[in-house]
Amino acid sequence: MSQVLLIGNALVDWVNEVDHYPFEDEELRVLKHSRRVGGNAANTAQVLQQLGHECTWLGTLADDSESVWLKSTLQEQGIAMDYAPVLANTHTPHSTIILNQSNGSRTILHQRQLPELQTEHLNTLLLSEYDWFHLEGRNVEVLPEFLKIIQRSRIDQPISLEIEKNRQGLEVLMAEVDVVFMSGAYFKAKYLSQNPYAVLRELSTCYPKTIITITLGAEGALVVDAQGQIHYAPAQVVEVLDTVGAGDVFNAAMISALASGKTPQEALYFAVQLAQHKVQQYGLDNLIKRY
């Protein structure tokens, strides 16, 4: 299997399960309260590790007790974090998540004051050792430099980029990577009511060598391959329990399948199926064993 370097976020999720989404000024009893590892890159690493890959996570860590728990939890899963810098006098980012048991929706309240990763932190790694590089689409000011450093060190290893939020400057980076994972939230914010097929055709013209996916939630997902062919994978109707991390599962499944030699179309079907499987369980634990 592949050695994957994932650059991005890791944080603590405090998940509060309730039987309905609260009204304003309502006092609502929490049915279950739990602590989970959160952050897109950290979640993607957890799933890739379950799929048999060796993962290294790179991002900044705080020097508090929550960071100790976060690091030990990921390392117990076999995820390497040896190169992640620990920043003094900082606090671990966390999200408070309201998980609605009636429909599986999640509302996220995020708090972050931890500084982002910088180029000197990436220079500590021997990048030629990795088979795949995955970057979370955050820290846009530094991402172009990250890509330059990786491209100078790689031979032909793929680079993937997640575009989840509508941050200015992300799309121009699509020309610098091999695979782009575009979230449904980003697509709606950026392209409003445009047809996703038309958008993919236009993006394929602008970035002809890039594989690009768009997730469509309960409607499935799309991918345009490097030859400009668009493929669609539908989602099945299932009982939705927990959508937290479903997008990260989709991304991990795409990386795993493509790294294993599957076509973009085959990878898309696997990714939709695995993400669909995830929303039927709480959290990410034993995801592949239950698949």
Side-chain angles (χ1 to χ4, degrees):
M1 288 295 183
S2 298
Q3 298 276 346
V4 184
L5 174 65
L6 301 100
I7 301 173
N9 204 9
L11 53 95
V12 174
D13 281 347
W14 292 104
V15 182
N16 300 280
E17 297 177 32
V18 295
D19 62 8
H20 68 274
Y21 186 79
F23 305 105
E24 186 173 0
D25 207 30
E26 178 182 9
E27 183 176 334
L28 181 63
R29 182 179 294 275
V30 172
L31 303 177
K32 184 179 180 182
H33 179 70
S34 60
R35 179 172 63 171
R36 301 181 190 172
V37 172
N40 295 14
N43 284 342
T44 300
Q46 291 182 87
V47 180
L48 280 169
Q49 202 75 20
Q50 291 186 44
L51 287 165
H53 302 277
E54 296 294 327
C55 296
T56 297
W57 177 86
L58 183 62
T60 53
L61 292 170
D63 63 347
D64 57 9
S65 59
E66 285 192 322
S67 179
V68 173
W69 175 84
L70 190 64
K71 186 173 182 178
S72 64
T73 301
L74 288 169
Q75 288 179 325
E76 285 172 4
Q77 298 179 51
I79 297 168
M81 302 181 70
D82 302 336
Y83 302 101
V86 178
L87 307 183
N89 302 314
T90 56
H91 299 285
T92 297
H94 67 265
S95 291
T96 299
I97 300 177
I98 302 172
L99 180 58
N100 183 354
Q101 288 190 349
S102 68
N103 60 9
S105 73
R106 85 287 186 276
T107 301
I108 302 175
L109 305 174
H110 182 59
Q111 183 276 334
R112 181 186 179 92
Q113 296 177 327
L114 184 67
E116 298 279 3
L117 195 74
Q118 300 301 313
T119 53
E120 59 265 26
H121 302 136
L122 188 58
N123 285 324
T124 61
L125 279 75
L126 184 60
L127 296 175
S128 59
E129 292 184 345
Y130 298 98
D131 304 308
W132 191 291
F133 304 96
H134 177 67
L135 290 85
E136 193 177 325
R138 56 185 302 110
N139 197 11
V140 182
E141 296 78 10
V142 183
L143 267 179
E145 292 302 316
F146 285 176
L147 287 169
K148 288 179 183 178
I149 293 170
I150 292 171
Q151 288 164 349
R152 285 198 299 265
S153 301
R154 71 169 180 162
I155 301 172
D156 58 358
Q157 303 99 311
I159 304 173
S160 56
L161 173 68
E162 178 193 24
I163 302 182
E164 183 191 32
K165 294 182 173 65
N166 192 8
R167 296 184 170 110
Q168 187 175 2
L170 280 178
E171 274 203 11
V172 297
L173 301 179
M174 291 171 61
E176 309 300 325
V177 301
D178 304 284
V179 183
V180 171
F181 305 124
M182 186 179 294
S183 74
Y186 173 83
F187 175 78
K188 290 177 182 177
K190 178 75 173 180
Y191 298 103
L192 303 176
S193 59
Q194 293 186 52
N195 184 293
Y197 285 87
V199 170
L200 276 181
R201 281 193 289 269
E202 180 180 351
L203 290 173
S204 180
T205 301
C206 296
Y207 311 105
K209 297 181 181 180
T210 307
I211 297 169
I212 305 169
T213 69
I214 299 176
T215 51
L216 304 172
E219 297 178 22
L222 294 166
V223 65
V224 60
D225 60 28
Q227 289 72 47
Q229 298 295 312
I230 298 176
H231 308 281
Y232 169 65
Q236 304 299 317
V237 177
V238 297
E239 181 184 6
V240 177
L241 298 179
D242 178 9
T243 59
V244 178
D248 306 323
V249 171
F250 175 91
N251 296 345
M254 285 291 302
I255 292 171
S256 179
L258 291 172
S260 302
K262 302 295 185 183
T263 67
Q265 183 179 19
E266 292 169 333
L268 184 73
Y269 272 86
F270 174 58
V272 168
Q273 290 173 1
L274 193 60
Q276 183 174 269
H277 172 67
K278 183 269 162 290
V279 303
Q280 297 176 77
Q281 73 166 56
Y282 292 105
L284 300 176
D285 291 345
N286 299 313
L287 179 69
I288 306 307
K289 289 181 180 179
R290 297 171 180 167
Y291 178 61

